[in-house]
Amino acid sequence: MQALLVAVVALPLLGALAALLPAPPGLRGRSPEQAVLRHGVTVTGVVLALTVALALGFDHDNPGTMQAETDVGWIPALGVRLHFGTDGISLPLLVLSALLTFLCALYSYAKMPQGPSPRAFVALLLALECGTLATFAVLDLMLFFLAFEMVLIPMYFLIARWGGAGRAAAAWKFILYTLLGSVVMLLGLLLIGLNAGTFDMVRLAQERGSGLGHTTQLLAALAIGIGLAVKAPMWPLHSWLPDAHTAAPTVGSVLLAGVLLKMGTYGFVRILLAGVPEGIHTFAPYLAAFGAVGIIYGSLACLALVREGAGGDLKRLIAYSSVGHMGFVLLGIATLTHTGVNGALFANVAHGLITGLLFFLVGALKDRMGTSDLDSLAGATGAALYGRAPRFGGILAFGAVASLGLPGLAGFWGELLALLGAYHPAAGLSRPAYLVFMVLGALGTLLTAAYMLLVVRRVCMGDPDGAGPGRPAAEPGVRDLPDVRPHEFAAWTPLVVLTVLAGLWPAALLGLTDPAVQSLLPGVTR
């Protein structure tokens, strides 16, 4: 188990270095470009298999204890150690990251984004995977920071070199926002480590802030919280996200929404809830308020984008929907209860599955239609995907209803538990204030249903022979639109299946997270 976890983290980095080397003559296939893309699929596939093996070998009777631990010295003068491990909180995120990266590599093998050499693309994709997996596997504050920062450069280049219109400005905005947040976060991490005498996250969780004064906890929680909130993304620190998603290539958007956003919310749970409980308790009402405002703000922004004549971009709409969905995650964390935090962790995984699927679908739709502008797609009568590409339209409708939180699908349980946590927040928190946040969250679910159903109406419904982008009404052949292709079916099916399984069998995920959350929040009764 120790070797498996280390291999899961290290193999993508080794694969990234290998991708930069010339392919051996016997492995080039039709071309060197095909060989390096196949290399990406192979490495990410092996990493996914190792992650699944790690999950199967995990002691599911004790998910609250750290398992597969490796702890060796690295920088003795600073007390920094190569400490890796996983529990019921991090294991689902490890599997999610490995799965989404593999699906992106598989999708890119058949549909490589337009841009420079595939060799650099595959190397950056694997380096990004290494950083995300390391973030969820390390148990040292300094290693967490290094892994947290490691993903920035690969994602910057994926947006700047393989993105669409406005990619340069979007890439700069992404890296400037996240770097500035990270500088503040580093100060908070150093404040904890130097005052507690250790950077070890397991030891800090066991001490529950006993070696830190109240002021130190407040300053650390504020500094680290700002850095994590930028990545989460929390309103009003979210403004980099819509531009980055709109400009990013399809696989960049999938990984940005499905994995990178989870790094911020994971840090809230792993570092702040466990290491500085007094500090996070003080700021929890503000975190809940920002989360609730983000839910409403994201939904209203989507409603503005989806209306006719607004010129809204479908990728941008899905990006704003992420602000709302991640608001539920922040609200659940801010309740400081077992119910709320479990809801946040469940919503994390559900959002990765559903929004990853939606960005795959929007990217494929843009490839077919040449645009993701809603007015251009819908034309006068609607894009009519049901009539022109029924399987594609059906999967898009499925993703939309999953995103709005339909019972029986993955999106329902996380948001429900976050709202239940707000109904009974932890002791010492203002229940009337949290009831207001709960009402705002519930209102957000109604607004989410409204804009997602409008998306389905405008994109999936309509007259197949009607006007559309670049075609007059009743033009012969307008029904001819490629339906789901084999590589798309391979990339999307696992996300659809897991969305249904998580919705019908939530105990599979909650059985992992709940004991770990109880261990993280001792003394909390619900």
Side-chain angles (χ1 to χ4, degrees):
M1 291 288 287
Q2 294 172 327
L4 272 178
L5 184 57
V6 172
V8 163
V9 174
L11 187 59
L13 184 59
L14 297 176
L17 296 175
L20 299 175
L21 301 175
L27 298 178
R28 288 179 183 172
R30 292 193 300 269
S31 66
E33 289 75 16
Q34 186 202 39
V36 74
L37 291 171
R38 187 171 60 241
H39 169 78
V41 175
T42 302
V43 174
T44 55
V46 172
V47 172
L48 176 59
L50 293 176
T51 309
V52 171
L54 182 70
L56 293 175
F58 188 80
D59 184 0
H60 291 263
D61 293 329
N62 296 290
T65 60
M66 203 60 66
Q67 301 180 34
E69 279 193 84
T70 298
D71 189 5
V72 297
W74 185 36
I75 309 177
L78 297 178
V80 179
R81 304 181 64 82
L82 294 172
H83 191 182
F84 299 88
T86 185
D87 63 356
I89 293 173
S90 57
L91 182 63
L93 295 173
L94 284 169
V95 177
L96 176 67
S97 301
L99 173 65
L100 287 177
T101 311
F102 170 70
L103 296 180
C104 286
L106 186 65
Y107 188 86
S108 300
Y109 181 75
K111 182 63 178 177
M112 171 71 191
Q114 292 185 353
S117 164
R119 190 180 305 279
F121 175 82
V122 171
L124 290 171
L125 189 68
L126 292 173
L128 182 68
E129 181 179 34
C130 177
T132 55
L133 291 171
T135 300
F136 301 131
V138 297
L139 296 173
D140 184 278
L141 292 179
M142 290 298 99
L143 285 182
F144 177 86
F145 177 78
L146 293 176
F148 197 84
E149 295 303 290
M150 183 178 175
V151 305
L152 299 186
I153 300 303
M155 183 55 72
Y156 167 81
F157 281 108
L158 286 175
I159 296 173
R161 303 301 298 277
W162 286 271
R167 60 193 182 190
W172 272 110
K173 194 172 185 180
F174 161 75
I175 201 164
L176 286 176
Y177 263 74
T178 49
L179 276 177
L180 289 174
S182 297
V183 169
V184 180
M185 183 179 73
L186 176 60
L187 297 177
L189 295 175
L190 290 172
L191 187 63
I192 291 178
L194 295 177
N195 281 275
T198 181
F199 290 100
D200 188 86
M201 294 158 73
V202 175
R203 182 175 161 190
L204 289 169
Q206 292 171 345
E207 294 178 354
R208 298 286 300 163
S210 59
L212 302 172
H214 182 69
T215 302
T216 300
Q217 291 200 37
L218 288 179
L219 292 174
L222 179 61
I224 297 171
I226 290 174
L228 296 173
V230 172
K231 188 70 71 74
M234 182 185 77
W235 179 91
L237 302 175
H238 69 285
S239 59
W240 61 270
L241 183 72
D243 292 338
H245 271 307
T246 304
T250 297
V251 295
S253 293
V254 171
L255 293 175
L256 184 59
V259 181
L260 267 68
L261 305 189
K262 313 304 177 286
M263 295 165 62
T265 52
Y266 173 78
F268 273 105
V269 175
R270 178 66 73 195
I271 299 174
L272 295 186
L273 290 188
V276 285
E278 291 183 27
I280 192 63
H281 191 280
T282 299
F283 289 111
Y286 304 99
L287 180 63
F290 285 129
V293 171
I295 294 170
I296 300 297
Y297 171 84
S299 300
L300 292 177
C302 291
L303 281 171
L305 289 170
V306 77
R307 63 185 176 86
E308 293 184 21
D313 186 278
L314 192 52
K315 286 189 74 175
R316 197 172 189 86
L317 185 147
I318 303 302
Y320 272 110
S321 77
S322 291
V323 177
H325 289 303
M326 297 310 289
F328 281 101
V329 178
L330 295 172
L331 176 59
I333 294 171
T335 66
L336 306 183
T337 62
H338 297 160
T339 302
V341 176
N342 274 303
L345 295 172
F346 197 103
N348 250 350
V349 175
H351 178 265
L353 296 172
I354 297 168
T355 308
L357 174 63
L358 286 173
F359 275 117
F360 268 134
L361 290 163
V362 174
L365 185 62
K366 186 174 182 180
D367 290 337
R368 285 164 167 79
M369 308 288 277
T371 182
S372 55
D373 180 83
L374 271 168
D375 288 336
S376 298
L377 288 172
T381 65
L385 285 188
Y386 285 154
R388 303 176 65 199
R391 294 182 183 86
F392 192 105
I395 297 175
L396 181 59
F398 171 85
V401 297
S403 183
L404 64 83
L406 185 73
L409 298 176
F412 172 74
W413 296 105
E415 296 180 3
L416 175 66
L417 292 173
L419 295 177
L420 289 176
Y423 184 72
H424 278 299
L429 299 176
S430 171
R431 190 171 184 232
Y434 275 79
L435 289 177
V436 173
F437 303 149
M438 183 192 72
V439 171
L440 291 176
L443 176 60
T445 62
L446 298 178
L447 296 176
T448 301
Y451 71 74
M452 278 300 177
L453 292 176
L454 285 173
V455 167
V456 171
R457 190 191 73 179
R458 299 197 66 194
V459 178
C460 297
M461 300 179 183
D463 180 6
D465 297 317
R471 55 183 174 89
E475 179 183 341
V478 297
R479 290 178 181 269
D480 298 333
L481 189 71
D483 214 329
V484 180
R485 299 183 173 104
H487 71 280
E488 295 169 340
F489 182 81
W492 302 345
T493 299
L495 300 179
V496 172
V497 171
L498 289 174
T499 298
V500 174
L501 288 178
L504 296 178
W505 190 25
L509 183 56
L510 293 174
L512 283 174
T513 62
D514 187 49
V517 170
Q518 292 187 34
S519 176
L520 204 67
L521 296 174
V524 178
T525 57
R526 56 180 178 269

